[in-house]
């Protein structure tokens, strides 16, 4: 169970790292499965060209355009993944933060993220809640590091406490990323911290936390398994992408 200090840290910072929540054997199993899915090109897959992020190939037909970014619909791909996503250990922690009756959203994240060496792109400063449609922007994402994550291979960067910030519309660009060229934002961005993770660590973070990531500058692909959860009393809005797929009830 999470301690009172851990719960307070999540409330204050908008994120919490749970060290070694999964063991190396499990992570290696998922890595092997993910590589098989990539090699076989089992869809659905999001490619780097689909992201339109800075540094991404211009199109699927451009060099590196079909470099995989995400193996989508992870929950449905294998019990190896779904059993972890609805497992008791993770479910207990989520229940403490979100309350009983936690739901896993299959419409958002629900993927194995890859950041490959040559054609990985930058991810700008954003909140996931910018394009999600729920009653409240208070969902939690669970991010399992399948290999060590560090600045060199594109680990997550966060702005601690930013899940509580009130940000005005002019501080964003057209794609709802924080504008780095705006003097008003530069003091905010100066608080950035890199979240380095060891294989098996799990990062829990708020959907309203500003986060970003750099390119992978190493020769080895970075893999992360990512699922997102909501409280029972925070349903998605009808007729939106957020309710496009059935949700999964998680028993704590």
């Amino acid at each position: 169970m999470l301690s009172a200090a851990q719960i307070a840290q999540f409330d204050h910072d908008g994120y919490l790292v749970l060290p070694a929540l999964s063991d190396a054997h499990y992570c290696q199993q998922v890595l092997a499965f993910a590589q098989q899915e990539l090699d076989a090109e089992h869809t659905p897959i999001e490619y780097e060209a689909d992201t339109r992020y800075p540094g991404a190939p211009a199109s699927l037909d451009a060099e590196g355009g079909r470099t995989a970014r995400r193996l989508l619909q992870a929950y449905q791909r294998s019990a190896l993944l779904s059993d972890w996503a609805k497992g008791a250990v993770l479910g207990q922690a989520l229940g403490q933060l979100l309350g009983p009756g936690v739901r896993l959203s299959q419409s958002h994240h629900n993927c194995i993220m890859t950041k490959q060496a040559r054609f990985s792109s930058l991810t700008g400063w954003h909140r996931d809640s910018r394009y999600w449609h729920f009653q409240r922007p208070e969902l939690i994402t669970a991010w399992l590091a399948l290999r060590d994550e560090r600045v060199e291979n594109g680990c997550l960067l966060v702005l601690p406490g930013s899940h509580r910030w009130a940000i005005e519309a002019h501080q964003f660009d057209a794609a709802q990323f924080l504008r780095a060229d705006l003097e008003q934002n530069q003091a905010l961005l100066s608080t950035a911290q890199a979240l380095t993770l060891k294989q098996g660590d799990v990062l829990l973070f708020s959907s309203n936390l500003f986060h970003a990531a750099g390119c992978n500058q190493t020769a080895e692909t970075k893999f992360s398994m990512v699922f997102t959860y909501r409280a029972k009393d925070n349903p998605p809005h009808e007729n939106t992408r957020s309710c496009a797929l059935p949700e999964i009830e998680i028993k704590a």
Side-chain angles (χ1 to χ4, degrees):
M1 294 183 67
L2 299 181
S3 67
Q6 287 175 307
I7 294 171
Q9 181 184 343
F10 182 88
D11 290 342
H12 183 268
D13 293 335
Y15 67 91
L16 177 68
V17 176
L18 303 178
L21 197 69
S22 292
D23 61 28
H25 176 69
Y26 176 73
C27 291
Q28 291 302 129
Q29 285 183 298
V30 178
L31 284 169
F33 173 79
Q35 192 60 58
Q36 290 171 2
E37 296 288 279
L38 289 173
D39 292 344
E41 297 185 359
H42 284 164
T43 58
I45 296 174
E46 180 185 44
Y47 296 99
E48 283 287 354
D50 296 325
T51 68
R52 307 297 183 188
Y53 289 162
S59 71
L60 290 173
D61 296 325
E63 184 183 15
R66 295 187 182 274
T67 300
R69 175 77 170 210
R70 296 180 180 91
L71 288 167
L72 301 171
Q73 300 306 315
Y75 188 89
Q76 297 296 335
R77 285 179 183 261
S78 170
L80 179 68
L81 312 185
S82 61
D83 286 352
W84 185 89
K86 62 185 179 183
V89 175
L90 180 61
Q92 187 174 55
L94 291 166
Q96 288 181 264
L97 296 172
L98 290 170
V102 172
R103 267 53 171 180
L104 180 153
S105 171
Q106 292 195 82
S107 298
H108 299 300
H109 285 144
N110 186 17
C111 67
I112 293 178
M113 289 194 182
T114 75
K115 186 155 279 198
Q116 302 195 43
R118 190 175 171 197
F119 294 105
S120 69
S121 55
L122 296 168
T123 308
W125 289 103
H126 67 284
R127 286 168 161 164
D128 289 334
S129 56
R130 77 193 194 281
Y131 58 92
W132 295 355
H133 305 279
F134 292 84
Q135 299 293 327
R136 304 186 306 277
E138 298 173 2
L139 288 83
I140 293 177
T141 291
W143 178 292
L144 170 62
L146 295 170
R147 285 181 173 149
D148 291 357
E149 303 195 6
R150 55 196 190 279
V151 172
E152 291 78 10
N153 66 359
C155 73
L156 280 181
L157 312 171
V158 299
L159 302 179
S162 59
H163 62 306
R164 295 181 278 109
W165 292 353
I167 302 295
E168 299 177 9
H170 74 275
Q171 293 175 257
F172 296 97
D173 64 17
Q176 291 297 296
F177 291 100
L178 273 181
R179 291 175 53 190
D181 63 330
L182 196 65
E183 184 176 355
Q184 183 179 1
N185 287 346
Q186 289 170 6
L188 305 179
L189 297 177
S190 70
T191 67
Q193 292 186 14
L195 293 185
T196 58
L197 302 173
K198 292 292 188 182
Q199 182 183 59
D201 290 353
V202 170
L203 167 67
L204 303 179
F205 66 95
S206 165
S207 61
N208 227 26
L209 181 76
F210 279 104
H211 57 286
C215 297
N216 184 356
Q217 303 173 59
T218 73
E220 185 177 57
T221 301
K222 181 172 75 66
F223 287 87
S224 315
M225 188 162 66
V226 189
F227 295 99
T228 294
Y229 303 82
R230 69 165 176 91
K232 182 178 180 180
D233 64 351
N234 188 25
H237 293 297
E238 294 183 2
N239 302 316
T240 68
R241 176 187 166 191
S242 295
C243 66
L245 294 171
E247 295 182 313
I248 310 298
E249 183 174 359
I250 306 300
K251 293 180 170 51

